[in-house]
Every structure is written in structure tokens, then in C-alpha cells.
Amino acid sequence: MEYNPRDIEQKWKQYWDDHEVYKIENTSDKPKYYVLDMFPYPSGAGLHVGHPLGYIATDIFSRYKRLKGFNVLHPMGYDSFGLPAEQYAISTGQHPAITTENNINTFRKQLENLGFSYDWSREVRTSDPSFYKWTQWIFMQLFNHYYDKIADKALLISDLVKTFSTEGNKKVNAVCDEDTPSFTADEWNAMSEKEQQLLLLKYRLTFPEESYVNWCPALGTVLSNDEVKDGVSERGGYPVERKLMKQWAMRITAYADRLLEGLKTVDWPESIKDQQTNWIGRSQGASVKFGVEGHADKQIGVFTTRVDTIYGVTFMVLAPEHEYVAALTTPEHQDEIEKYQKWTASRSEVDRQAEKRITGAFTGSYAVNPFNGEKVPIWIADYVLAGYGTGAVMAVPSGDQRDWNFAKHFNLPIIPILDAQKNMDEAADATKEGRYINSGMINGMTYEEAVPTLINWLEEKGLGKGKIQYRIRNAVFSRQRYWGEPVPVYWKNEIPYLIDESELPLVLPQVDKYLPTETGEPPLGRAEDWKYTPTPGGESYPYELSTMPGWAGSSWYFYRYMNPQNDQEFCSQDAVNYWRQVDLYVGGPEHAVGHLLYSRFWNKFMYDLGLVPEEEYAKKLINQGMIQGVSKFVYRSFNHPNIYISYDRVSDDFTPEELKYLGVNSRDDLGFVGAGFHVDVNLVNEDSSLDIEGFRNWRSENKDAKFLLSSDGKYYCESAVEKMSKSKYNVVNPDKLVLDSNEIEGGKGYGADCFRMYEMFLGPVEVAKPWNTSGIDGVNRFLRKFWGL
């Protein structure tokens, strides 16, 4: 009998559906095992062959665990809020819910064609109101809690209010804003409601604050750092600028130490642990206040891990956005400073930190070293970020490579200091005991003696203190978009209040357009009469107009799979206590911070409230490697973008006839000839020659393209192995390999078993590997022989 994968696969898929083979219960005599894939965003392009790699691996493992006698939870859902659906809605006017539903249907069909053993009755979608009702509910719990350092956990704000009313806040040891004032019970009780609520915002675990964000005017929204590449938006390539805006924030900083400690308890890749450790960036040191010459009312705060090097400070650098820059800039330097600020505003934090060029501008003012009274010039530079630390650094060129480079570039002084911590041999030679020399009050001390001496002096003088600082900052938790979870908040007298819990879910309103309003408000500002009335017949107040970011729903979705139809709670205690945590989690390493860190933060908060039984939600994590695509590039003239040169002729001299055909006088008229852009791999033959007519029809601007061909009459493209991505036009649709030509145009009909086996045979699941469709023939021949046997 001939091997016919479609007949076999259709038969068994039907059997699985009819008999609900993979439907499971939350109770069983068998031991439990929870296998989870990071759920996908349902894009309009559907799956490409790189997506299923991890899904196939987890499906194999799930089947194995079932055969070993486990009750296996192996679900699938969709991270279905996001910017792409909104941008499509803006361009077409179609509601994002419609396009998202269509995309999900495409994904679901493709996943079913691959024969995965999912319990589809547990499917979740983050854009479904029955799901995001609970995302909003968790947000409300965060708003109603603060972090108590003594209890080392989240506690109710209402309990904090009771303490304030009887004792004030002098004995409260909580994570809060640095500028939180000290007050007595009498002072608290004398405050107005507005004053009290503003003060409580300094303690809440989610709160609105002014912060610098990546603002994209063309998209009308804030972008996360990983949505910005080289100063432009990853989607659309629009300019992005740094802008100070009021945003909702999450006080993830309260959990910094627990997030570090938790990494010791999970079986996760070391690379992920290292990334999270570095992102949290715990540092022990001191805060120091520098006075400013001519500005008695101003002190510039810095944090340093090496306060013992303070005698070597020769200049200070502020972030271009620092609040003091305008006041400290002297008239003769104002033009240069403003130009520099405008330039840095167009660059993302990632670009600024990666920049190798040395740039900066002098304000004209001088700071005063508190230890020796020396004046040091105050500069601004893009490598200092306003949102990190204090937005200012004391520069010690003889002790820091970056400061040395800056000092040499701008011809600033460098004071030699003896660093006894790094150069013990040199120090020992100089002092016989490894002690400092030429260092003011710490002259003759060891490093261990010098640091506490300096910190004690700072604290006595009120000029600083010992401090533990973190690189991690409060997580921005709002986006100026339509297609996201509405924030369950209304504004009264400029103060945010939660809506009543019984009003959940707060669903997205209808709007006429998915663009910001003419006055610059987010798209939700277009909703007519979208207001909240706390008491029936009473006054109405405007809702929050921003929506939640993409990581909101993905920070807890793994619990919803346990009990997806529950309308009374995010997950029943019986279900969450049975499944407890994910036993095996598989997904890409690109989510090390954006998802994996934020979800750990939410889980620890839910653990504090007794909502979940485990402090870490995923016991074991595996990062699947990327399946890379072979991209194709066309070479074209810089001066004449409609002239294309075959890759093998880029460096050639051209004949007079060829120049005449191209419409140029000389080879030099073409200007630089380089890889202009990616071309759809479906327009390129196996020998890398281009389907010229197909290319002309691909885009309207290609219609009149001219081609300088190779000697054999073909136009050849350059090839490169890259990430498989729709934007690089190098994706391969798995349907074309799995289905036959009767079901999909150009279908090969290898079947799901062949496709799955080939992906697993490419190499270890954790390793990146290039895709080569021709290799699947070998697996197909093997399966046919196996079937014959």
C-alpha cells in the first residue's frame, strides 16, 4: 500500500476530535505534568516553518509523558493584543478584533494541520474580555498594595493608611519614591483627600509617573526598547524620540532582590539568568551630593560603587534630559546644548548605550567636590541616561575607561590616583602595606577602611549615604494605543481611582478611527461619552485613555490554561493547587527580559497574596534555537534606484551598449551599487536567479525596472542566512510542505509527520540552524520505506 499522509492524518485527526482524546481534567490519580509553549502573536502572515520548532519538541515530549503515565496539560492560545493589528486597522479602517479573529483562525488551522496534541478546549486569547477581565483585576490588586520591607512582601494599602492615621510614616519601612516626605499622624489627618491620595501614589505598586519614553509621533504611541532599532520604530521605520510623559508604571524595583534570589531555584539556561541578573544590576555603593558653583539651591546627586576614587573626579556628566541642564547652561553654551539635546532626543536608550563615538557638550557651569572643594566642569553626554540612577555621573578618568576616553577626546584633566583594590602590588610597593596615597582623609587606608570612612563622613555632613542601587527601573505600563487592555481607572480631581470590581471587564469602546485625537490624546479619547459614574445619577469622570502594554496578559496567562472558563476568579484554588506551576516551558531567548522577567515579578506578587502556590511559575525553561531563512538581495544603483545590477557583475565595467540601455553616460553615473533591499524568496529560483517579470509585478515601483544581466542572460541575487521573518521576505509556509496541491497552491503534500520529523532532524532544539527545503526529500523517502515495511 502506498504511503498517503493526508488520508492517514485526516483519519486520525477526526478520531481525536470525535473522542476528545487530548481533553484532560484537573483531577486525576496520575501524577501531573504541565508542558507549555510561549504562545504566539497571530500575525496576518500566519505560521512560517520557524515557528513550529518548539511546538513540535513540546508535543513529542507531551506524548512521551502521557505514555509514561502522566496527566499532561499541554495547551495553546494567542497573545492577541498588539501594534500590528492596530496599524492594519489604521490603514484599512477594519476593527482590530476582526483581523485578529481572522489571523487566529489561520493559525489554528495551520496548527491543526501539524497534528499537535493540544487540549483545544483550554484555548485562551489575551484580547478576549473574559481573559483580560482578570488582567485588569490583577492590575487592581497591584494598585491596592505596597511593598513592606520588614514583611518582605506586598501588603494592603488600606493597612498602610491605618498606620499613617495613628503613627505617621516615620516607622514605616516600605519601598517608595525617594522624595517621599516624613510626616506625623496629625499631619496626615490634616491633609485633604487629594493630598493623601497623591502621597499614597508614592507607595503603590502601580502608579502614574513622569518618565522618559520612546515616543513615535508617526505611530502615535510609546514603544518599548525592543521595538526601536537604530533610532526608528521596528515596525514601519518611523523616527522615535525620547520624550518626558506621564505613564503608568509598575514598581518592579520592589522585587529586585527576590527576582535575583529566585534565579537560584529554577532550572533555566544560564544565558537567561545572566541577562536578568545584569538587567536588575544590583550595585552596592554610596550616593553623593555635589554642590554647584553659583547655584546654592542646587545639588547634583550621583551614585558610585567606588566612593574611594572621589578624589580623582575631574568632571561631571549629566544626561541631556537632566532637570538641571537648562538652569546650569550659561548663555554662551546654550545653542550648542540645545542642538545636542535635540539630537539625543531622536535616539533610543539602546542606541545611546551602544554608541561608540564620543559626543558631548559643556554647560559652562562647575560642580564642587564635597571632599576637597575642587571645581569640576559639568558636561552633558548621551551615554548617561536620565532614567538610570540619578541621571548624573562623577567622572574619574584614571579609574574608568569610558571616563578616560571622554577626557582624552575633550582634553579634560586626568588626576592619577592609586586604586588599591585593583592594583595591590603597585600599592604595596608604594606604601609597604597596600594603602592609599594622595587621597585626602583616606590617605594611608586600605580599601576596606576607606569606604566606610567616606560614607560615615557623607552621612554626618548630610551630603550622602551608603546605598544599594539597581539598574532595573520601574516598568512603564501604558501605551497610547487602542488595541490593548483598558486600564480600569478613572480620573477625579487629577487623581486616579479604581473602578468598582463588579464593573469588570472594562471593555474597549467603539471609536471612529484608531489614531490619536487631533489634540494628541490616545485613540480612546475618540470614544463618545466614555466616562465612569461611581454612584448612579452622580457625576461622571473620564476613564484612563492609555491601554496596557503587550506584556500584561502574558505575565499570567499560564494560570488561565488551568481553569479557562472560570468567570468567578482568574483560576480556581483547586486547579492552581493541582497544576501548581509549569514543569517545562519552551520559548525564544529574545524574551529574557520583556516577558520572562515581568511575568516572574507578577507571579511573586500573586504569591504574596496567596493566589498561587509557587513563587516561581516555571520550573524548567528551554530556549529553542532559531530556524534561519536564506534571504535574497537585489543589487541596485544608488543614483538610479530603478537600475538593478546582477550580483556577479557589481564590480564590472559596462559596455557602451549596456550603458545606453541603462540610460547613463558612464559607470560612475550609477554611483554606489549595493544590496538595495530584500526580495521575496518565492521570486528567486534555486540557482539564485531572479524571476524578473514576477519582480516587476511584485511592487508598483518595480514596474519600469531595468536589469543588467549576467553573461548567461540571468539576473543573480546575493544570498545570506538571517532570521526568518516576514519583513525579510524569506519565510517558508509550512502548509506548502504539509498539504498537497489540491488543498493549497503549490503544495508538496509531504504530510505533517514528514515535516515534524525533518524539523527535529535539523539538529538540537536549542541550536540555531538554517532552513533548506530540499533536505525534506530524504525524510520523505525514509517514511515511505518505513511505511512499506
Side-chain angles (χ1 to χ4, degrees):
M1 183 190 297
E2 184 182 357
Y3 176 57
N4 191 327
R6 295 309 293 156
D7 288 348
I8 299 166
E9 291 167 12
Q10 290 290 0
K11 170 187 173 180
W12 288 107
K13 280 202 303 178
Q14 191 63 51
Y15 180 90
W16 297 345
D17 292 342
D18 293 344
H19 294 81
E20 296 185 327
V21 170
Y22 298 118
K23 187 172 182 179
I24 59 163
E25 300 298 330
N26 289 341
T27 56
S28 174
D29 295 333
K30 301 176 181 178
K32 71 93 184 181
Y33 204 90
Y34 187 175
V35 182
L36 183 63
D37 301 288
M38 291 184 189
F39 60 172
Y41 173 77
S43 70
L47 290 173
H48 62 64
V49 295
H51 289 126
L53 178 69
Y55 305 162
I56 297 169
T58 55
D59 199 58
I60 291 170
F61 193 70
S62 297
R63 291 172 183 273
Y64 167 76
K65 295 300 283 188
R66 287 191 197 97
L67 292 171
K68 295 292 285 185
F70 285 81
N71 185 31
V72 179
L73 174 56
H74 183 43
M76 178 51 72
Y78 306 96
D79 191 10
S80 49
F81 273 129
L83 188 57
E86 180 157 329
Q87 289 305 113
Y88 188 77
I90 290 170
S91 62
T92 64
Q94 192 172 42
H95 197 287
I98 297 173
T99 56
T100 299
E101 179 68 25
N102 292 338
N103 294 346
I104 286 176
N105 290 338
T106 299
F107 262 64
R108 170 78 177 257
K109 187 175 180 181
Q110 288 184 293
L111 291 169
E112 287 178 337
N113 285 334
L114 291 173
F116 293 121
S117 59
Y118 298 132
D119 179 355
W120 284 111
S121 69
R122 294 174 181 257
E123 178 190 281
V124 301
R125 306 174 182 190
T126 57
S127 58
D128 186 332
S130 68
F131 179 93
Y132 70 69
K133 168 184 179 178
W134 300 108
T135 310
Q136 293 171 336
W137 181 82
I138 296 169
F139 172 91
M140 295 171 81
Q141 309 316 305
L142 284 154
F143 186 82
N144 282 331
H145 285 77
Y146 75 102
Y147 199 90
D148 188 278
K149 292 183 180 179
I150 303 300
D152 200 21
K153 63 185 291 188
L155 298 177
L156 283 165
I157 282 283
S158 56
D159 291 341
L160 189 65
V161 171
K162 291 176 185 176
T163 302
F164 288 171
S165 64
T166 57
E167 303 177 17
N169 72 341
K170 291 182 181 177
K171 295 182 181 179
V172 172
N173 189 0
V175 177
C176 58
D177 293 350
E178 287 199 355
D179 63 353
T180 303
S182 177
F183 55 84
T184 65
D186 289 340
E187 289 170 330
W188 167 263
N189 293 324
M191 292 180 190
S192 66
E193 180 191 352
K194 182 176 181 178
E195 290 171 329
Q196 289 182 344
Q197 292 300 323
L198 283 172
L199 214 157
L200 289 175
L201 290 176
K202 295 181 178 294
Y203 290 89
R204 295 185 188 275
L205 287 176
T206 185
F207 57 97
E209 69 168 355
E210 293 268 321
S211 60
Y212 280 95
V213 294
N214 299 315
W215 173 250
C216 181
L219 295 177
T221 189
V222 168
L223 300 176
S224 61
N225 281 333
D226 56 4
E227 292 174 315
V228 181
K229 304 294 181 187
D230 300 321
V232 298
S233 62
E234 187 175 38
R235 184 167 185 84
Y238 301 111
V240 175
E241 61 189 56
R242 297 290 291 166
K243 186 176 181 180
L244 188 64
M245 295 179 68
K246 179 168 277 191
Q247 302 285 311
W248 280 91
M250 290 277 171
R251 210 180 294 275
I252 188 175
T253 47
Y255 285 82
D257 280 328
R258 284 172 62 185
L259 287 167
L260 285 172
E261 284 300 311
L263 291 173
K264 300 174 184 177
T265 68
V266 291
D267 182 8
W268 286 22
E270 288 303 317
S271 60
I272 295 291
K273 291 184 179 184
D274 289 344
Q275 285 183 70
Q276 293 202 3
T277 299
N278 293 336
W279 189 266
I280 295 167
R282 187 182 192 275
S283 302
Q284 189 156 355
S287 63
V288 184
K289 297 175 184 176
F290 282 69
V292 181
E293 186 183 43
H295 295 269
D297 60 329
K298 289 182 171 51
Q299 289 183 316
I300 299 174
V302 301
F303 173 82
T304 176
T305 58
R306 294 299 309 277
V307 66
D308 55 296
T309 65
I310 199 165
Y311 290 96
V313 174
T314 59
F315 62 98
M316 179 168 283
V317 184
L318 306 184
E321 308 89 350
H322 195 286
E323 59 179 330
Y324 286 175
V325 171
L328 301 185
T329 301
T330 57
E332 62 270 26
H333 294 280
Q334 187 168 350
D335 187 54
E336 181 186 7
I337 289 289
E338 288 178 354
K339 285 180 180 177
Y340 190 79
Q341 286 178 312
K342 186 175 181 180
W343 176 71
T344 53
S346 67
R347 297 163 55 74
S348 73
E349 287 188 3
V350 174
D351 292 333
R352 284 167 59 171
Q353 289 178 301
E355 178 64 74
K356 289 185 170 60
R357 290 178 302 162
I358 299 171
T359 63
F362 178 44
T363 64
S365 291
Y366 292 83
V368 180
N369 189 320
F371 284 97
N372 57 18
E374 293 288 332
K375 294 193 303 179
V376 295
I378 302 172
W379 288 66
I380 65 173
D382 65 343
Y383 71 83
V384 181
L385 306 175
Y388 176 52
T390 64
V393 297
M394 64 177 213
V396 184
S398 59
D400 182 272
Q401 186 64 52
R402 184 181 57 187
D403 296 342
W404 170 276
N405 295 341
F406 195 92
K408 297 297 283 186
H409 184 82
F410 289 107
N411 198 28
L412 296 169
I414 298 173
I415 299 175
I417 61 167
L418 189 61
D419 186 340
Q421 187 185 37
K422 293 182 180 178
N423 305 305
M424 290 301 293
D425 292 340
E426 182 184 351
D429 290 341
T431 68
K432 307 294 186 188
E433 298 175 331
R435 296 173 179 270
Y436 281 93
I437 57 173
N438 301 326
S439 301
M441 73 171 68
I442 56 173
N443 182 32
M445 292 184 184
T446 63
Y447 170 77
E448 289 75 16
E449 294 167 341
V451 172
T453 299
L454 293 172
I455 291 175
N456 288 338
W457 186 86
L458 286 169
E459 292 176 347
E460 289 171 4
K461 300 291 184 181
L463 293 173
K465 60 182 179 180
K467 185 180 179 183
I468 294 175
Q469 181 159 293
Y470 301 88
R471 182 178 183 271
I472 192 172
R473 287 161 280 172
N474 293 328
V476 175
F477 192 75
S478 52
R479 299 289 187 267
Q480 287 62 48
R481 301 174 185 166
Y482 175 79
W483 194 233
E485 299 94 335
V487 179
V489 161
Y490 68 95
W491 290 84
K492 174 185 172 184
N493 196 21
E494 300 179 336
I495 300 294
Y497 292 86
L498 295 177
I499 68 173
D500 193 89
E501 201 171 292
S502 64
E503 304 283 341
L504 296 180
L506 175 61
V507 299
L508 284 167
Q510 293 294 322
V511 294
D512 59 339
K513 296 178 185 175
Y514 305 101
L515 291 166
T517 68
E518 285 69 21
T519 55
E521 292 177 323
L524 291 184
R526 294 182 173 276
E528 291 186 15
D529 238 14
W530 201 52
K531 294 184 176 181
Y532 183 68
T533 308
T535 55
E539 190 172 351
S540 296
Y541 301 96
Y543 283 113
E544 168 64 50
L545 298 181
S546 295
T547 52
M548 298 187 193
W551 57 267
S554 65
S555 290
W556 73 278
Y557 76 108
F558 27 85
Y559 290 115
R560 192 61 177 172
Y561 284 131
M562 298 176 182
N563 197 203
Q565 278 80 45
N566 192 335
D567 193 44
Q568 302 304 311
E569 50 193 333
F570 77 98
C571 181
S572 73
Q573 285 300 298
D574 287 344
V576 78
N577 285 327
Y578 175 72
W579 294 109
R580 301 192 69 83
Q581 66 184 151
V582 177
D583 294 286
L584 176 64
Y585 197 23
V586 176
E590 67 272 18
H591 302 294
V593 174
H595 161 55
L596 291 171
L597 187 62
Y598 295 145
S599 54
R600 292 182 60 227
F601 156 49
W602 273 39
N603 194 79
K604 288 179 183 296
F605 169 72
M606 295 169 76
Y607 176 80
D608 286 352
L609 273 58
L611 298 172
V612 300
E614 301 287 348
E615 191 162 352
E616 295 290 339
Y617 69 86
K619 187 183 298 183
K620 182 177 180 64
L621 172 71
I622 291 178
N623 292 140
Q624 88 270 15
M626 185 185 299
I627 286 189
Q628 299 163 315
V630 178
S631 298
K632 301 293 182 179
F633 301 87
V634 288
Y635 272 73
R636 66 179 180 183
S637 162
F638 183 78
N639 293 339
H640 303 273
N642 68 327
I643 293 179
Y644 293 84
I645 313 298
S646 183
Y647 172 50
D648 61 326
R649 297 208 56 197
V650 168
S651 302
D652 287 2
D653 292 325
F654 305 145
T655 66
E657 291 78 12
E658 288 173 334
L659 293 172
K660 183 178 180 181
Y661 160 70
L662 296 176
V664 296
N665 295 321
S666 68
R667 173 70 171 76
D668 292 339
D669 285 349
L670 292 174
F672 173 74
V673 175
F677 54 80
H678 292 81
V679 62
D680 191 334
V681 293
N682 294 302
L683 297 174
V684 182
N685 301 311
E686 288 190 10
D687 63 353
S688 288
S689 63
L690 181 69
D691 174 0
I692 291 176
E693 284 309 307
F695 180 81
R696 285 195 171 113
N697 295 326
W698 181 41
R699 290 178 170 178
S700 57
E701 61 265 32
N702 300 341
K703 185 174 63 173
D704 299 321
K706 294 180 178 179
F707 295 87
L708 191 64
L709 306 178
S710 182
S711 58
D712 61 2
K714 295 181 178 181
Y715 179 96
Y716 289 101
C717 302
E718 185 185 13
S719 302
V721 175
E722 296 185 299
K723 175 183 177 181
M724 192 172 283
S725 165
K726 180 184 175 184
S727 65
K728 302 182 189 303
Y729 302 105
N730 63 355
V731 300
V732 178
N733 185 338
D735 291 351
K736 288 192 174 183
L737 300 173
V738 173
L739 305 178
D740 61 39
S741 57
N742 293 326
E743 297 168 284
I744 185 170
E745 184 179 352
K748 305 288 186 182
Y750 290 114
D753 285 324
C754 183
F755 175 81
R756 289 162 60 117
M757 186 176 286
Y758 177 58
E759 287 228 344
M760 291 297 96
F761 281 3
L762 286 174
V765 71
E766 301 95 336
V767 178
K769 45 261 182 185
W771 179 266
N772 183 359
T773 300
S774 61
I776 200 170
D777 284 325
V779 176
N780 182 49
R781 290 193 298 272
F782 165 77
L783 282 176
R784 291 184 180 280
K785 289 180 180 178
F786 182 80
W787 180 260
L789 288 172

